[in-house]
Amino acid sequence: MTEWPYKATGIHYLDSAASTQKPKAVLDALQEFYSMHYSNVHRGLHRLAEESTKAYEKARATVAAFLGAHNPKEIVFTSGTTEAMNLLASTYPLTADDTVVVSLLDHHSTFVPWQQAAKRAGATFKVIPLADGRLDYAAAERLIEEGCAVLAITHLSNVTGETIDVSRLADKVHANGGVIFVDGAQAAAHIEIDVQSLGADAYCISAHKLYGPTGIGALYCRQDLLDTLPPYQFGGEMVDQVTVSKTTFANPPARFEAGTPPIIQSVGFSTAIDVLHAHQSDLKRIESLAKDAISRLSALPFITVHSVTEQNPGIISFTMEGVHAHDVAQFLDSKDVAVRAGHHCCQPLHDTFSIPASVRASFGLYNTKEDIDALIAALKECKEAFDV
Amino acid sequence: MYREHLMDHYKHPRNHGELESPTVSHTEKNPSCGDTITMDFLIEDGKVKDVRFRGEGCAISMAAASMLAEELPGKKVEQVVLMPRDEMLELIGVPLTTMRVKCGLLALHTAKKALAKNLGEEAKGEW
């Protein structure tokens, strides 16, 4: 039985797409490791350095297995999904003849790095549109056929809760000689990931969105591709030999991990993955909880649901007629219901919906029917309080 | 945060609408939440003779605009341009969370921009 210490706050936490709450097992692992096994990793000859190095590399193997990588060397620890995507956008070679494709569903952390990378290279930047609130696959395939050196796309939308058929797009991209880089920040907490069957050339995740600590994430990148990418930051640990006149660099993943890495975070990350594994059967429960929430929200005449209503693993965005999303979220807080309001780092998507902001309720392993009851009751009260 | 006074201004905004021939008019937006406020001023002898506001946004930004629009008539233009943000926050009367301070200050920001425009200068100070 997993313990969730945050429950002591009495808050109905429905903001897991922003960040998840932490199980006691993760908190205990951090405390235990900092207390008894901690030192800097690599090169140290004392036993704490040895223990820390082993734990850090074991975490890499855990993440590799979690994503279905062939080899732990295909895993680079980063500060999170954003850094992983920036690493790719900064190092992947683009020319002015190339086209970079993203989608309207993409989070700013995918959208902006690739928009800027295309701009730097003088490359063309294209955006896959939506059709009826969902990714327009026909348009996607057309764009890819027109030429696509890189497709960067989310696996699970953090606004609409739509799961993208990555393998379908990957086949198309590969047939046209491109690569596909996937933002898995949301998906990794809700869907079993296998980068091989997805056909992803790279896949980026954040630990804090899957019950682990902040400050660490991972980049999976196919080894033959990762080997060709140049260093991204310089410093200790990423070098081979340094002389006054030149420096040669270490092989991946060390080449991309300059400086002291997120050691303690890696311990929390691998513990969180263990917790998530133990809860695989709960993912179905969360999805049916979300389904229930969507049908109860849709039944409220003053609520418009902007998320997909089928096969939504637990990310629901909506607006309340006549009440600004920020007021809804603030009012809900006074009823101990934690949701998010804003554009959720997807401004182009909200522009398409012609709304400045939406309210988002998102689910995690700890949520129950009581949380949805509290949400629905608070929304009714909110409508009453703000009715003009 | 949504006390009676604030909700009253939100539901029954004072000086809401537009002026037929304003001396100066100005619109400001808060891009992070989409709030928009337009303020029209009638200025006579260096003083605010009349003011109207309109816009779209959250209860905090709209109520704050109503409170400010009620407060401004009779005040000297220079005085409004230099009005400290704390005075606006005091007017709102309820403590705002960090995220909402910008909502509460959008109306003042709009008024300052409008009246600075009237004085032929740029509004000073940060939002």
Side-chain angles (χ1 to χ4, degrees):
Chain A
M1 185 67 186
T2 303
E3 285 180 61
W4 301 98
Y6 90 92
K7 294 246 174 188
T9 64
I11 289 172
H12 297 282
Y13 190 77
L14 294 171
D15 195 17
S16 295
S19 198
T20 53
Q21 295 294 335
K22 314 307 170 199
K24 185 164 182 294
V26 167
L27 304 180
D28 287 349
L30 300 178
Q31 172 81 19
E32 157 74 11
F33 198 85
Y34 256 147
S35 307
M36 302 303 292
H37 310 286
Y38 179 75
S39 168
N40 208 334
V41 292
H42 305 304
R43 290 187 319 279
L45 297 174
H46 56 78
R47 81 186 77 120
L48 291 178
E50 175 73 8
E51 287 177 33
S52 280
T53 304
K54 273 190 176 156
Y56 184 65
E57 293 306 327
K58 179 171 163 278
R60 194 190 304 279
T62 303
V63 173
F66 175 65
L67 295 176
H70 285 313
N71 186 331
K73 288 180 184 163
E74 295 177 311
I75 301 297
V76 176
F77 281 125
T78 63
S79 65
T81 304
T82 299
E83 194 195 359
M85 203 50 96
N86 272 281
L87 192 162
L88 292 168
S90 309
T91 58
Y92 191 77
L94 286 175
T95 71
D97 297 330
D98 288 330
T99 299
V100 174
V101 180
V102 301
S103 91
L104 206 51
L105 291 173
D106 290 340
H107 190 279
H108 290 169
S109 61
T110 296
F111 199 99
V112 182
W114 288 105
Q115 181 192 52
Q116 297 304 308
K119 194 175 162 190
R120 274 196 308 275
T124 308
F125 181 69
K126 292 184 180 172
V127 183
I128 304 170
L130 303 189
D132 292 331
R134 289 175 161 269
L135 189 81
D136 185 342
Y137 283 94
E141 289 175 357
R142 208 166 44 242
L143 287 181
I144 293 166
E145 279 169 8
E146 285 167 13
C148 169
V150 174
L151 171 62
I153 194 163
T154 183
H155 191 182
L156 170 58
S157 163
N158 72 310
V159 176
T160 70
E162 180 184 356
T163 301
I164 299 305
D165 188 345
V166 170
S167 67
R168 176 177 169 182
L169 296 174
D171 287 348
K172 199 79 188 171
V173 170
H174 293 147
N176 286 276
V179 290
I180 177 168
F181 299 150
V182 182
D183 161 13
Q186 299 296 335
H190 292 279
I191 303 168
E192 241 178 292
I193 308 298
D194 176 25
V195 291
Q196 312 303 339
S197 64
L198 289 173
D201 296 292
Y203 198 94
C204 311
I205 61 174
S206 296
H208 75 98
K209 290 200 202 280
L210 41 95
Y211 313 100
T214 56
I216 191 168
L219 165 68
Y220 155 80
C221 184
R222 192 161 46 78
Q223 190 161 4
D224 57 333
L225 174 59
L226 191 59
D227 283 344
T228 66
L229 298 180
Y232 153 72
Q233 289 181 333
F234 302 93
E237 207 54 52
M238 53 79 67
V239 295
D240 175 28
Q241 287 208 332
V242 182
T243 67
V244 172
S245 58
K246 72 177 264 195
T247 297
T248 54
F249 302 108
N251 289 326
R255 187 189 298 164
F256 303 103
E257 294 182 358
T260 295
I263 303 161
I264 189 76
Q265 290 89 335
S266 77
V267 172
F269 196 177
S270 66
T271 309
I273 288 173
D274 292 342
V275 171
L276 191 53
H277 272 308
H279 280 274
Q280 278 303 305
S281 60
D282 269 323
L283 295 180
K284 279 280 155 215
R285 183 183 67 81
I286 301 304
E287 192 174 329
S288 72
L289 212 57
K291 199 179 166 91
D292 179 40
I294 288 169
S295 73
R296 290 174 71 184
L297 284 166
S298 304
L300 297 174
F302 49 85
I303 295 287
T304 305
V305 173
H306 300 283
S307 294
V308 297
T309 51
E310 296 296 323
Q311 291 164 335
N312 185 324
I315 299 172
I316 309 169
S317 297
F318 57 92
T319 44
M320 184 185 284
E321 192 194 337
V323 188
H324 194 283
H326 286 170
D327 290 325
V328 176
Q330 191 104 51
F331 183 88
L332 261 51
D333 174 64
S334 72
K335 304 293 167 191
D336 295 332
V337 177
V339 296
R340 189 150 291 253
H343 50 60
H344 317 299
C345 296
C346 291
Q347 265 180 339
L349 177 61
H350 279 77
D351 289 346
T352 308
F353 289 157
S354 300
I355 50 174
S358 60
V359 184
R360 182 181 69 193
S362 53
F363 293 77
L365 293 172
Y366 27 70
N367 289 123
T368 62
K369 183 176 171 296
E370 283 68 42
D371 297 322
I372 303 176
D373 293 345
L375 170 69
I376 300 291
L379 287 173
K380 286 178 180 166
E381 280 187 70
C382 179
K383 179 63 183 168
E384 196 128 304
F386 282 85
D387 214 7
V388 286
Chain B
M1 195 179 293
Y2 301 108
R3 305 250 172 86
E4 215 173 308
H5 174 61
L6 192 137
M7 288 307 280
D8 181 51
H9 273 273
Y10 174 60
K11 292 184 181 181
H12 311 286
R14 329 291 203 257
N15 286 336
H16 187 266
E18 50 191 299
L19 291 177
E20 215 163 273
S21 39
T23 318
V24 65
S25 177
H26 187 74
T27 302
E28 277 292 318
K29 270 187 184 186
N30 183 350
S32 69
C33 58
D35 291 359
T36 307
I37 292 177
T38 301
M39 289 184 120
D40 296 344
F41 288 91
L42 187 64
I43 296 164
E44 269 182 26
D45 303 331
K47 283 184 178 173
V48 175
K49 173 100 161 96
D50 205 356
V51 58
R52 291 287 184 279
F53 86 93
R54 59 199 171 276
E56 271 179 73
C58 66
I60 307 289
S61 67
M62 291 298 116
S66 166
M67 292 167 183
L68 187 66
E70 191 177 51
E71 189 72 12
L72 291 183
K75 284 206 190 312
K76 280 189 187 157
V77 169
E78 284 95 343
Q79 195 187 344
V80 180
V81 171
L82 295 172
M83 183 171 158
R85 47 182 268 158
D86 285 352
E87 208 171 305
M88 183 69 231
L89 296 176
E90 247 170 68
L91 209 55
I92 295 169
V94 288
L96 299 179
T97 53
T98 326
M99 287 289 298
R100 304 307 291 279
V101 169
K102 265 203 155 187
C103 309
L105 294 177
L106 179 62
L108 178 63
H109 182 61
T110 311
K112 284 185 173 186
K113 283 268 192 180
L115 295 178
K117 200 155 62 173
N118 177 250
L119 291 175
E121 55 187 56
E122 277 293 304
K124 294 182 197 74
E126 61 177 296
W127 182 3

